[in-house]
Short mmCIF file of all heavy atoms in Angstrom, two decimals:
data_model
loop_
_atom_site.label_atom_id
_atom_site.label_comp_id
_atom_site.label_asym_id
_atom_site.label_seq_id
_atom_site.Cartn_x
_atom_site.Cartn_y
_atom_site.Cartn_z
N ASP Z 1671 102.24 101.88 110.50
CA ASP Z 1671 100.91 101.29 110.27
C ASP Z 1671 100.37 101.59 108.88
O ASP Z 1671 99.26 101.17 108.55
CB ASP Z 1671 99.92 101.82 111.32
CG ASP Z 1671 100.27 101.37 112.73
OD1 ASP Z 1671 100.29 100.16 112.95
OD2 ASP Z 1671 100.56 102.24 113.56
N THR Z 1672 101.13 102.32 108.06
CA THR Z 1672 100.63 102.76 106.76
C THR Z 1672 100.19 101.59 105.89
O THR Z 1672 99.09 101.61 105.31
CB THR Z 1672 101.71 103.56 106.01
OG1 THR Z 1672 101.98 104.76 106.75
CG2 THR Z 1672 101.24 103.95 104.62
N LEU Z 1673 101.03 100.57 105.76
CA LEU Z 1673 100.68 99.45 104.89
C LEU Z 1673 99.46 98.71 105.39
O LEU Z 1673 98.65 98.20 104.61
CB LEU Z 1673 101.87 98.50 104.75
CG LEU Z 1673 103.10 99.07 104.04
CD1 LEU Z 1673 104.16 98.01 103.92
CD2 LEU Z 1673 102.73 99.61 102.66
N ASN Z 1674 99.29 98.61 106.72
CA ASN Z 1674 98.09 97.98 107.27
C ASN Z 1674 96.84 98.74 106.86
O ASN Z 1674 95.77 98.15 106.70
CB ASN Z 1674 98.17 97.94 108.80
CG ASN Z 1674 99.22 96.98 109.30
OD1 ASN Z 1674 99.85 96.27 108.52
ND2 ASN Z 1674 99.42 96.97 110.61
N ARG Z 1675 96.95 100.05 106.71
CA ARG Z 1675 95.78 100.88 106.40
C ARG Z 1675 95.53 101.00 104.89
O ARG Z 1675 94.40 101.24 104.48
CB ARG Z 1675 95.97 102.29 106.99
CG ARG Z 1675 96.16 102.28 108.50
CD ARG Z 1675 95.01 101.60 109.20
NE ARG Z 1675 95.26 101.48 110.63
CZ ARG Z 1675 94.42 100.88 111.48
NH1 ARG Z 1675 93.31 100.35 111.03
NH2 ARG Z 1675 94.70 100.81 112.75
N TRP Z 1676 96.57 100.85 104.10
CA TRP Z 1676 96.40 101.08 102.66
C TRP Z 1676 95.43 100.09 102.04
O TRP Z 1676 94.70 100.40 101.10
CB TRP Z 1676 97.75 101.01 101.93
CG TRP Z 1676 97.68 101.67 100.59
CD1 TRP Z 1676 97.15 101.14 99.45
CD2 TRP Z 1676 98.10 102.99 100.25
NE1 TRP Z 1676 97.22 102.04 98.42
CE2 TRP Z 1676 97.80 103.19 98.89
CE3 TRP Z 1676 98.70 104.02 100.97
CZ2 TRP Z 1676 98.10 104.38 98.23
CZ3 TRP Z 1676 98.99 105.21 100.31
CH2 TRP Z 1676 98.70 105.37 98.96
N GLY Z 1677 95.39 98.86 102.56
CA GLY Z 1677 94.46 97.87 102.03
C GLY Z 1677 93.02 98.34 102.13
O GLY Z 1677 92.21 98.11 101.22
N TRP Z 1678 92.67 99.00 103.26
CA TRP Z 1678 91.30 99.51 103.38
C TRP Z 1678 91.05 100.60 102.35
O TRP Z 1678 90.00 100.60 101.69
CB TRP Z 1678 91.05 100.08 104.79
CG TRP Z 1678 89.61 100.54 104.89
CD1 TRP Z 1678 88.55 99.81 105.30
CD2 TRP Z 1678 89.09 101.82 104.50
NE1 TRP Z 1678 87.38 100.55 105.20
CE2 TRP Z 1678 87.69 101.79 104.71
CE3 TRP Z 1678 89.65 102.99 103.98
CZ2 TRP Z 1678 86.85 102.87 104.44
CZ3 TRP Z 1678 88.82 104.08 103.70
CH2 TRP Z 1678 87.44 104.02 103.94
N TRP Z 1679 91.99 101.51 102.18
CA TRP Z 1679 91.79 102.59 101.22
C TRP Z 1679 91.68 102.06 99.79
O TRP Z 1679 90.92 102.58 98.97
CB TRP Z 1679 92.92 103.62 101.34
CG TRP Z 1679 92.71 104.50 102.54
CD1 TRP Z 1679 93.28 104.37 103.76
CD2 TRP Z 1679 91.82 105.61 102.63
NE1 TRP Z 1679 92.80 105.33 104.62
CE2 TRP Z 1679 91.91 106.12 103.96
CE3 TRP Z 1679 90.96 106.25 101.73
CZ2 TRP Z 1679 91.17 107.21 104.39
CZ3 TRP Z 1679 90.22 107.34 102.17
CH2 TRP Z 1679 90.33 107.81 103.48
N ASP Z 1680 92.43 101.02 99.50
CA ASP Z 1680 92.31 100.40 98.18
C ASP Z 1680 90.92 99.82 97.97
O ASP Z 1680 90.31 99.99 96.91
CB ASP Z 1680 93.37 99.31 98.01
CG ASP Z 1680 93.26 98.60 96.67
OD1 ASP Z 1680 93.79 99.15 95.67
OD2 ASP Z 1680 92.66 97.52 96.61
N SER Z 1681 90.37 99.17 99.00
CA SER Z 1681 89.01 98.61 98.88
C SER Z 1681 87.98 99.73 98.74
O SER Z 1681 87.00 99.58 98.00
CB SER Z 1681 88.69 97.72 100.09
OG SER Z 1681 88.59 98.49 101.28
N TRP Z 1682 88.19 100.83 99.43
CA TRP Z 1682 87.30 102.00 99.28
C TRP Z 1682 87.39 102.55 97.86
O TRP Z 1682 86.37 102.82 97.22
CB TRP Z 1682 87.70 103.07 100.30
CG TRP Z 1682 87.03 104.40 100.13
CD1 TRP Z 1682 85.79 104.77 100.56
CD2 TRP Z 1682 87.57 105.57 99.48
NE1 TRP Z 1682 85.53 106.08 100.22
CE2 TRP Z 1682 86.60 106.59 99.55
CE3 TRP Z 1682 88.78 105.83 98.84
CZ2 TRP Z 1682 86.81 107.86 99.02
CZ3 TRP Z 1682 89.00 107.10 98.30
CH2 TRP Z 1682 88.01 108.09 98.39
N ALA Z 1683 88.60 102.68 97.35
CA ALA Z 1683 88.80 103.26 96.02
C ALA Z 1683 88.21 102.40 94.92
O ALA Z 1683 87.66 102.91 93.95
CB ALA Z 1683 90.30 103.47 95.78
N ARG Z 1684 88.31 101.07 95.08
CA ARG Z 1684 87.87 100.15 94.03
C ARG Z 1684 86.46 99.63 94.27
O ARG Z 1684 86.01 98.70 93.61
CB ARG Z 1684 88.86 99.01 93.90
CG ARG Z 1684 90.27 99.48 93.53
CD ARG Z 1684 91.18 98.33 93.27
NE ARG Z 1684 90.67 97.53 92.17
CZ ARG Z 1684 90.95 96.24 91.98
NH1 ARG Z 1684 91.72 95.62 92.83
NH2 ARG Z 1684 90.44 95.58 90.96
N GLN Z 1685 85.76 100.23 95.22
CA GLN Z 1685 84.35 99.93 95.50
C GLN Z 1685 84.12 98.47 95.89
O GLN Z 1685 83.13 97.86 95.49
CB GLN Z 1685 83.47 100.31 94.30
CG GLN Z 1685 83.51 101.80 93.99
CD GLN Z 1685 82.53 102.20 92.89
OE1 GLN Z 1685 82.29 101.44 91.97
NE2 GLN Z 1685 81.98 103.39 93.00
N SER Z 1686 85.02 97.93 96.72
CA SER Z 1686 84.85 96.56 97.20
C SER Z 1686 84.94 96.49 98.72
O SER Z 1686 85.19 95.43 99.27
CB SER Z 1686 85.91 95.65 96.57
OG SER Z 1686 87.22 96.09 96.89
N GLU Z 1687 84.73 97.62 99.39
CA GLU Z 1687 84.81 97.67 100.85
C GLU Z 1687 83.68 96.81 101.42
O GLU Z 1687 82.54 96.87 100.96
CB GLU Z 1687 84.67 99.12 101.33
CG GLU Z 1687 85.34 99.41 102.64
CD GLU Z 1687 84.47 99.09 103.83
OE1 GLU Z 1687 83.25 98.95 103.64
OE2 GLU Z 1687 84.99 99.00 104.95
N GLN Z 1688 83.99 95.98 102.41
CA GLN Z 1688 83.06 94.95 102.84
C GLN Z 1688 81.75 95.50 103.41
O GLN Z 1688 80.72 94.84 103.37
CB GLN Z 1688 83.71 94.02 103.85
CG GLN Z 1688 84.06 94.67 105.18
CD GLN Z 1688 84.47 93.65 106.22
OE1 GLN Z 1688 84.61 92.47 105.91
NE2 GLN Z 1688 84.65 94.09 107.45
N ASN Z 1689 81.77 96.71 103.96
CA ASN Z 1689 80.54 97.30 104.49
C ASN Z 1689 79.90 98.29 103.52
O ASN Z 1689 79.05 99.09 103.89
CB ASN Z 1689 80.83 98.01 105.83
CG ASN Z 1689 81.21 97.02 106.91
OD1 ASN Z 1689 80.66 95.94 106.99
ND2 ASN Z 1689 82.18 97.40 107.74
N ASP Z 1690 80.36 98.22 102.27
CA ASP Z 1690 79.84 99.10 101.20
C ASP Z 1690 80.08 100.57 101.47
O ASP Z 1690 79.30 101.43 101.03
CB ASP Z 1690 78.34 98.84 100.97
CG ASP Z 1690 78.08 97.45 100.40
OD1 ASP Z 1690 78.92 96.97 99.63
OD2 ASP Z 1690 77.04 96.87 100.73
N PHE Z 1691 81.16 100.89 102.22
CA PHE Z 1691 81.57 102.27 102.38
C PHE Z 1691 82.57 102.57 101.26
O PHE Z 1691 83.78 102.47 101.45
CB PHE Z 1691 82.20 102.50 103.75
CG PHE Z 1691 81.26 102.30 104.90
CD1 PHE Z 1691 81.72 101.83 106.12
CD2 PHE Z 1691 79.92 102.58 104.78
CE1 PHE Z 1691 80.86 101.65 107.20
CE2 PHE Z 1691 79.04 102.40 105.85
CZ PHE Z 1691 79.51 101.94 107.06
N ASN Z 1692 82.05 102.90 100.10
CA ASN Z 1692 82.88 102.97 98.90
C ASN Z 1692 82.98 104.37 98.33
O ASN Z 1692 82.10 105.21 98.52
CB ASN Z 1692 82.31 102.03 97.83
CG ASN Z 1692 82.39 100.57 98.22
OD1 ASN Z 1692 83.40 100.12 98.70
ND2 ASN Z 1692 81.29 99.85 98.02
N SER Z 1693 84.05 104.59 97.60
CA SER Z 1693 84.23 105.84 96.87
C SER Z 1693 83.16 105.96 95.79
O SER Z 1693 82.77 104.96 95.17
CB SER Z 1693 85.62 105.86 96.22
OG SER Z 1693 85.71 106.86 95.23
N LYS Z 1694 82.69 107.18 95.55
CA LYS Z 1694 81.75 107.41 94.46
C LYS Z 1694 82.41 107.22 93.11
O LYS Z 1694 81.75 106.93 92.13
CB LYS Z 1694 81.17 108.83 94.57
CG LYS Z 1694 80.25 109.04 95.76
CD LYS Z 1694 79.02 108.17 95.67
CE LYS Z 1694 78.08 108.41 96.82
NZ LYS Z 1694 76.89 107.52 96.79
N ASN Z 1695 83.73 107.40 93.06
CA ASN Z 1695 84.48 107.27 91.82
C ASN Z 1695 85.29 105.97 91.86
O ASN Z 1695 86.24 105.87 92.63
CB ASN Z 1695 85.41 108.47 91.65
CG ASN Z 1695 86.27 108.37 90.39
OD1 ASN Z 1695 86.08 107.49 89.56
ND2 ASN Z 1695 87.22 109.27 90.27
N PRO Z 1696 84.95 104.96 91.04
CA PRO Z 1696 85.69 103.70 91.07
C PRO Z 1696 87.11 103.81 90.55
O PRO Z 1696 87.89 102.86 90.67
CB PRO Z 1696 84.84 102.78 90.18
CG PRO Z 1696 84.15 103.71 89.24
CD PRO Z 1696 83.88 104.95 90.03
N ASN Z 1697 87.44 104.96 89.96
CA ASN Z 1697 88.78 105.16 89.41
C ASN Z 1697 89.58 106.20 90.18
O ASN Z 1697 90.57 106.73 89.67
CB ASN Z 1697 88.68 105.58 87.93
CG ASN Z 1697 88.03 104.49 87.08
OD1 ASN Z 1697 88.42 103.34 87.14
ND2 ASN Z 1697 87.01 104.88 86.31
N VAL Z 1698 89.16 106.51 91.40
CA VAL Z 1698 89.89 107.50 92.20
C VAL Z 1698 91.32 107.00 92.44
O VAL Z 1698 91.55 105.80 92.61
CB VAL Z 1698 89.18 107.75 93.54
CG1 VAL Z 1698 89.09 106.49 94.39
CG2 VAL Z 1698 89.84 108.88 94.32
N LYS Z 1699 92.28 107.89 92.41
CA LYS Z 1699 93.67 107.54 92.66
C LYS Z 1699 94.08 107.98 94.06
O LYS Z 1699 93.74 109.07 94.51
CB LYS Z 1699 94.59 108.21 91.62
CG LYS Z 1699 94.38 107.68 90.20
CD LYS Z 1699 94.65 106.19 90.11
CE LYS Z 1699 94.45 105.66 88.71
NZ LYS Z 1699 94.61 104.19 88.63
N LEU Z 1700 94.83 107.12 94.72
CA LEU Z 1700 95.28 107.36 96.08
C LEU Z 1700 96.71 107.86 96.09
O LEU Z 1700 97.60 107.24 95.49
CB LEU Z 1700 95.20 106.09 96.91
CG LEU Z 1700 93.85 105.37 96.91
CD1 LEU Z 1700 93.92 104.09 97.74
CD2 LEU Z 1700 92.73 106.28 97.44
N VAL Z 1701 96.95 108.99 96.75
CA VAL Z 1701 98.27 109.58 96.83
C VAL Z 1701 98.82 109.39 98.24
O VAL Z 1701 98.14 109.66 99.23
CB VAL Z 1701 98.22 111.08 96.47
CG1 VAL Z 1701 99.59 111.71 96.64
CG2 VAL Z 1701 97.74 111.27 95.03
N TYR Z 1702 100.03 108.91 98.32
CA TYR Z 1702 100.71 108.61 99.59
C TYR Z 1702 101.26 109.92 100.14
O TYR Z 1702 102.27 110.42 99.68
CB TYR Z 1702 101.82 107.61 99.31
CG TYR Z 1702 102.59 107.09 100.49
CD1 TYR Z 1702 102.14 107.26 101.81
CD2 TYR Z 1702 103.78 106.39 100.30
CE1 TYR Z 1702 102.86 106.75 102.88
CE2 TYR Z 1702 104.51 105.87 101.37
CZ TYR Z 1702 104.04 106.06 102.65
OH TYR Z 1702 104.76 105.56 103.71
N GLY Z 1703 100.57 110.49 101.13
CA GLY Z 1703 100.95 111.79 101.68
C GLY Z 1703 101.83 111.67 102.91
O GLY Z 1703 101.46 111.01 103.89
N LEU Z 1704 103.00 112.31 102.88
CA LEU Z 1704 103.96 112.23 103.97
C LEU Z 1704 104.50 113.62 104.34
O LEU Z 1704 104.51 114.51 103.48
CB LEU Z 1704 105.15 111.35 103.57
CG LEU Z 1704 104.91 109.85 103.45
CD1 LEU Z 1704 106.13 109.17 102.87
CD2 LEU Z 1704 104.55 109.26 104.81
N PRO Z 1705 104.95 113.81 105.58
CA PRO Z 1705 105.63 115.06 105.93
C PRO Z 1705 107.00 115.10 105.27
O PRO Z 1705 107.70 114.09 105.20
CB PRO Z 1705 105.73 115.00 107.45
CG PRO Z 1705 105.67 113.54 107.78
CD PRO Z 1705 104.82 112.90 106.73
#
Side-chain angles (χ1 to χ4, degrees):
D1671 295 299
T1672 296
L1673 295 182
N1674 291 355
R1675 301 303 174 182
W1676 198 281
W1678 182 90
W1679 283 98
D1680 178 82
S1681 68
W1682 171 82
R1684 300 186 60 205
Q1685 298 186 326
S1686 59
E1687 207 275 344
Q1688 67 169 6
N1689 293 322
D1690 293 326
F1691 295 149
N1692 294 315
S1693 164
K1694 292 296 182 182
N1695 178 8
N1697 298 310
V1698 62
K1699 294 299 180 185
L1700 307 178
V1701 176
Y1702 184 14
L1704 289 172

